[in-house]
Amino acid sequence: MNARTIHWLLTLALTACASSPERAITEDGPSTETPSSSHELIVSGEKNLGEDRLRAALSTLDYDRVEFLGNGQFLVNFRSEMGPKALETLLWDRGVSAQVSVNQKYSIPNPIRPSRTKRKPLLIPR
Amino acid sequence: MNRAVSHLIAILLGLSPAVTLASMPSVPGEVLVKFRSGVSTASANYSIFRQGGFRVKRLGSSGFEQVQLPDGKNVDIAIQEFLADPNIETAQPNYIYKTLATVPNDTHYGKLWGLKNTGQTVNNTGLGGLDTHRTPNTGTSGSDMNLEAAWDLITDCSSVVVAVVDTGVNFTQEDLVDNIWDGNVGSYPNGGYDFVSSSNAMSDPNGHGTHVAGTIGATGNNAKGATGVCWNVKIMGVRVMDATGSGTTSRIVQGVNFGVTNGAKVINLSVGGSGYDSAFSTAITNARSNGVVIVAAAGNDGANNDASGTPTYPCNYTQDNVICVAALTQSYGLASFSNYGSTSVDVGAPGVNIASTWPGTNVETAENTSGWTGWTLAGSWAYNNAFTNIKGISNPSSYDSTSATYANSADDIAYKSFNISGAQVATLEFGLVMDLASGDGFSVACKNDGTSPFTGGTTVQSAVTGSTDGYIETLTYEITSCASATTSVGYRLTSNASGVDFGLLVGSMSINTLTYDTTTYNLISGTSMATPQVAGLAAMLFAYNPTFTYTDVVNAIKNSGDTVSALSGKSTTSKGVDAYKALLYINPPSSVTAVSP
């Protein structure tokens, strides 16, 4: 995948997660370096983390929306790009222990359609 | 005493593990007795007479006699008294047997090879779905999940809620309507929640989720359509993926948390992404804390999920409540599309040519594969039939991806009108080969009046640039808002004054529409179709053994199946799931140590 492809995918997928992540083993399995920044970050806090407490910790930051996802998890939409590690550190400094990650894109697995063109046949070798 | 323990006792007694003495029905007032060798006829008659009974007949050379007890005589008491008689070697009830293998009467049951494989040819005839996904394959008799034997033990899983976190569920489908979750009707009247539209208006504009739901729990033995692994179960529809099958971490996390909060014991996740995601992992850990089993699809890329460059999540999460499922063919080979992994993928299940419920009728309008016609082509757009595997339109007209380039300062539009009147859902799919210079862009739009969609239409893809690197990228967009008798779909190339590249080729285009109904079924393939087979089995295990923990269920599924050679070295267990064996699987005692006498 060349740089232009990456750029295209970055734009198309509307996510900031197209770079190849490095894996590290954590208690719950393989981890990756979190993508460097995004407008949409997910805060995974303690189960009892409430929206009011999170909003208080987010004060002074330029965000426009907080959505509760259940289980102490929230989607926070920033008006400009924000690094998950930076937000994690800031929240920690403000008394909120949480993991922060980018809102990534998922899909149902590629449909199997033998009668149709497959997803990525090589058209012309380069 | 749970059922697993009672099975253990039955096994120790040398009985069929399928049933216990206590649970088997017997003929009232009758026992079978066997006299010891050398006992005279007179002595035997006296033994029977003492019980007030009489001999009905001798059972061939077995040595057993069928004895009729007097009215009101309890069979168990009579047996105890016979066993105390020194003339009698053994005595037992006259058990009632039936032909094993519970067979449902559903109309499409014969197509469900994963439940009962007779080597049948599976096709879409009579299902009502589009016949575009079928891989003809007659398969191997016996390569199945052994459901008929399992159904002798249990068909009703209605005590268990299974969350289908997917593209939604058509809860009005005739074979699902009776099995929809009704645990919180006041708040969720349609059996779940739609996190895409943030509403209770549960539907499935894609079809994927409805198909998954039917495999888990299409109502069995109702003389209609398909048969679920569970004949009765509570399906919770949780819509987190849009009409094109795409979703985000936030929606999926929301869906998983919703399922856990609302009592699901099993969550089916026929979804995938390529990056570790701590928020998703946190939701799965929370599910584990609540005793919930997660069943995940291995993915359809034919790739090794163990390889560092091609993991698939949630399959690759290592929490012990996750079961990752590969797809098996009708001959129990590993499906060519199925991902695998000796440390990440756990079991295999039927995933090719799977018939199940579908939300409605699809119509596909495809551009002619041998060449497109009827387009309004402006600027340098032109028909391009130069390649064998993609016919369509290109800009520049002589696009060959290696030499010719498009023009600077271009704003070239191509569009065509299609009649998709009446469609309740419409999606646009096409293949794209693209090489654009920085600052130039490709965009897609639609409109409902047949004119240029780039004038007052709806942008479905804002301008993107870059390269597909010589590959065809298949792209899908929802265009429902443009559906009419004159829906125009268009492509646009814009370029700035400096720098050009090889340009664009658009081909393999189709518009797929869906009109909801309640009677359609469809035949499709994928690890997404294998996953709900296992989710249904997990529900069956929870229902059969209400005291089972998630660990018990996971262990029963992983450890009880049949060895499948195609999964050797490509999964953690090398096994295809077997429902009957899973039901009989007994967890080994955890705190018993063998010692020498």
Side-chain angles (χ1 to χ4, degrees):
Chain A
M1 183 181 291
N2 64 23
R4 288 194 304 173
T5 304
I6 293 171
H7 174 72
W8 184 74
L9 288 172
L10 274 171
T11 312
L12 183 63
L14 302 175
T15 67
C17 58
S19 57
S20 296
E22 293 179 8
R23 306 174 86 202
I25 303 300
T26 67
E27 181 190 358
D28 271 341
S31 181
T32 59
E33 232 173 51
T34 313
S36 58
S37 64
S38 173
H39 288 273
E40 291 193 338
L41 297 179
I42 297 177
V43 176
S44 299
E46 301 292 333
K47 205 175 178 68
N48 60 357
L49 175 61
E51 186 169 334
D52 290 346
R53 187 164 157 234
L54 177 61
R55 283 184 180 276
L58 291 170
S59 65
T60 74
L61 298 181
D62 188 18
Y63 71 95
D64 59 8
R65 188 166 61 96
V66 172
E67 183 179 357
F68 181 54
L69 306 178
N71 184 41
Q73 297 183 277
F74 296 87
L75 174 67
V76 184
N77 190 49
F78 291 91
R79 291 192 179 87
S80 56
E81 291 205 342
M82 167 66 76
K85 287 296 177 193
L87 180 60
E88 203 169 293
T89 302
L90 184 145
L91 291 174
W92 178 264
D93 289 343
R94 295 180 181 184
V96 173
S97 174
Q99 281 189 301
V100 180
S101 56
V102 165
N103 193 20
Q104 298 188 35
K105 186 159 185 167
Y106 290 83
S107 64
I108 58 176
N110 305 323
I112 306 307
R113 299 180 180 180
S115 64
R116 300 276 299 279
T117 306
K118 290 184 179 175
R119 184 166 176 262
K120 284 188 176 182
L122 188 60
L123 181 66
I124 295 172
R126 298 185 180 186
Chain B
M1 179 164 62
N2 72 22
R3 298 189 202 202
V5 174
S6 64
H7 284 313
L8 175 60
I9 293 170
I11 292 166
L12 293 174
L13 290 173
L15 301 170
S16 161
V19 286
T20 62
L21 275 175
S23 65
M24 276 192 67
S26 61
V27 180
E30 283 188 11
V31 295
L32 305 180
V33 299
K34 184 177 184 181
F35 292 96
R36 293 187 186 281
S37 176
V39 172
S40 68
T41 302
S43 296
N45 288 341
Y46 179 69
S47 292
I48 295 172
F49 174 76
R50 279 203 312 175
Q51 295 294 333
F54 63 91
R55 179 184 285 112
V56 177
K57 61 183 171 184
R58 179 170 283 122
L59 304 179
S61 60
S62 68
F64 276 91
E65 312 260 1
Q66 182 180 338
V67 174
Q68 178 69 53
L69 299 172
D71 287 347
K73 182 79 176 185
N74 180 279
V75 169
D76 291 337
I77 292 172
I79 288 172
Q80 294 303 317
E81 292 173 353
F82 275 126
L83 290 174
D85 185 333
N87 289 333
I88 291 176
E89 181 179 316
T90 189
Q92 67 168 72
N94 189 11
Y95 291 119
I96 297 171
Y97 289 82
K98 61 180 179 178
T99 304
L100 284 176
T102 303
V103 181
N105 62 6
D106 302 294
T107 49
H108 299 314
Y109 180 63
K111 296 179 186 290
L112 302 176
W113 70 267
L115 310 182
K116 176 69 173 179
N117 193 343
T118 60
Q120 67 269 54
T121 297
V122 178
N123 58 43
N124 224 340
T125 304
L127 295 179
L130 282 177
D131 196 14
T132 57
H133 309 302
R134 179 168 56 90
T135 305
N137 191 331
T138 54
T140 304
S141 177
S143 292
D144 57 42
M145 297 203 303
N146 201 13
L147 257 303
E148 290 188 357
W151 289 330
D152 283 336
L153 304 179
I154 183 170
T155 59
D156 184 359
C157 319
S158 59
S159 59
V160 181
V161 178
V162 183
V164 176
V165 178
D166 211 291
T167 60
V169 175
N170 180 355
F171 66 95
T172 66
Q173 212 282 346
E174 63 176 5
D175 229 3
L176 295 174
V177 67
D178 292 330
N179 280 349
I180 294 297
W181 174 60
D182 55 0
N184 194 347
V185 175
S187 299
Y188 308 109
N190 294 327
Y193 195 72
D194 181 343
F195 286 102
V196 176
S197 66
S198 298
S199 75
N200 278 317
M202 175 59 63
S203 64
D204 178 9
N206 181 285
H208 189 268
T210 300
H211 197 278
V212 164
T215 297
I216 295 167
T219 304
N221 209 38
N222 64 346
K224 289 179 187 171
T227 313
V229 171
C230 286
W231 290 9
N232 304 101
V233 68
K234 298 300 182 193
I235 300 287
M236 176 192 288
V238 186
R239 183 171 179 236
V240 299
M241 313 297 269
D242 65 18
T244 69
S246 296
T248 59
T249 306
S250 59
R251 292 290 160 260
I252 295 173
V253 163
Q254 221 165 8
V256 170
N257 289 339
F258 178 88
V260 171
T261 300
N262 287 285
K265 293 299 290 181
V266 182
I267 295 178
N268 190 97
L269 283 171
S270 291
V271 301
S274 60
Y276 175 82
D277 188 330
S278 65
F280 199 166
S281 181
T282 297
I284 287 176
T285 300
N286 178 53
R288 180 177 65 184
S289 301
N290 287 276
V292 177
V293 172
I294 302 285
V295 189
N300 293 348
D301 303 306
N304 183 355
N305 284 355
D306 293 351
S308 61
T310 55
T312 296
Y313 295 96
C315 167
N316 277 47
Y317 289 122
T318 57
Q319 287 94 326
D320 63 2
N321 61 328
V322 176
I323 304 172
C324 178
V325 185
L328 297 175
T329 68
Q330 287 162 259
S331 300
Y332 263 29
L334 181 66
S336 59
F337 56 78
S338 179
N339 291 5
Y340 54 89
S342 61
T343 64
S344 54
V345 176
D346 295 307
V347 294
V352 174
N353 294 333
I354 304 300
S356 186
T357 46
W358 199 250
T361 301
N362 291 116
V363 175
E364 181 180 78
T365 304
E367 278 296 88
N368 191 333
T369 54
S370 62
W372 292 16
T373 58
W375 285 74
T376 299
L377 301 170
S380 297
W381 282 106
Y383 297 115
N384 188 320
N385 297 323
F387 302 97
T388 55
N389 57 351
I390 181 168
K391 314 289 184 189
I393 54 174
S394 71
N395 189 335
S397 59
S398 55
Y399 175 92
D400 63 6
S401 89
T402 59
S403 56
T405 60
Y406 57 86
N408 274 320
S409 302
D411 185 0
D412 297 348
I413 291 169
Y415 68 93
K416 180 178 176 179
S417 178
F418 299 86
N419 183 354
I420 53 172
S421 175
Q424 290 174 287
V425 181
T427 56
L428 165 69
E429 181 178 303
F430 59 91
L432 173 70
V433 190
M434 183 170 88
D435 291 286
L436 296 185
S438 177
D440 301 338
F442 167 70
S443 54
V444 185
C446 66
K447 198 177 179 186
N448 61 9
D449 66 1
T451 63
S452 170
F454 296 99
T455 303
T458 301
T459 300
V460 296
Q461 174 61 64
S462 54
V464 291
T465 191
S467 173
T468 61
D469 214 15
Y471 288 87
I472 303 169
E473 282 286 347
T474 299
L475 303 175
T476 308
Y477 302 93
E478 183 171 4
I479 58 170
T480 304
S481 65
C482 299
S484 73
T486 53
T487 296
S488 53
V489 173
Y491 307 102
R492 183 180 204 174
L493 169 65
T494 55
S495 61
N496 59 20
S498 63
V500 292
D501 210 322
F502 301 134
L504 299 161
L505 175 60
V506 178
S508 302
M509 177 185 151
S510 64
I511 296 174
N512 297 282
T513 62
L514 172 69
T515 304
Y516 290 109
D517 61 42
T518 62
T519 57
T520 298
Y521 300 79
N522 202 2
L523 191 74
I524 57 177
S525 302
T527 54
S528 291
M529 284 62 251
T531 304
Q533 314 266 18
V534 178
L537 175 54
M540 183 179 273
L541 286 162
F542 272 125
Y544 193 61
N545 286 289
T547 61
F548 262 24
T549 64
Y550 80 83
T551 306
D552 296 324
V553 169
V554 170
N555 284 342
I557 290 172
K558 287 186 180 180
N559 297 333
S560 65
D562 300 312
T563 298
V564 174
S565 59
L567 292 171
S568 178
K570 295 192 170 183
S571 63
T572 62
T573 66
S574 303
K575 288 181 174 178
V577 294
D578 183 305
Y580 180 68
K581 290 180 179 175
L583 289 172
L584 299 186
Y585 179 79
I586 300 169
N587 288 314
S590 59
S591 58
V592 176
T593 304
V595 295
S596 300

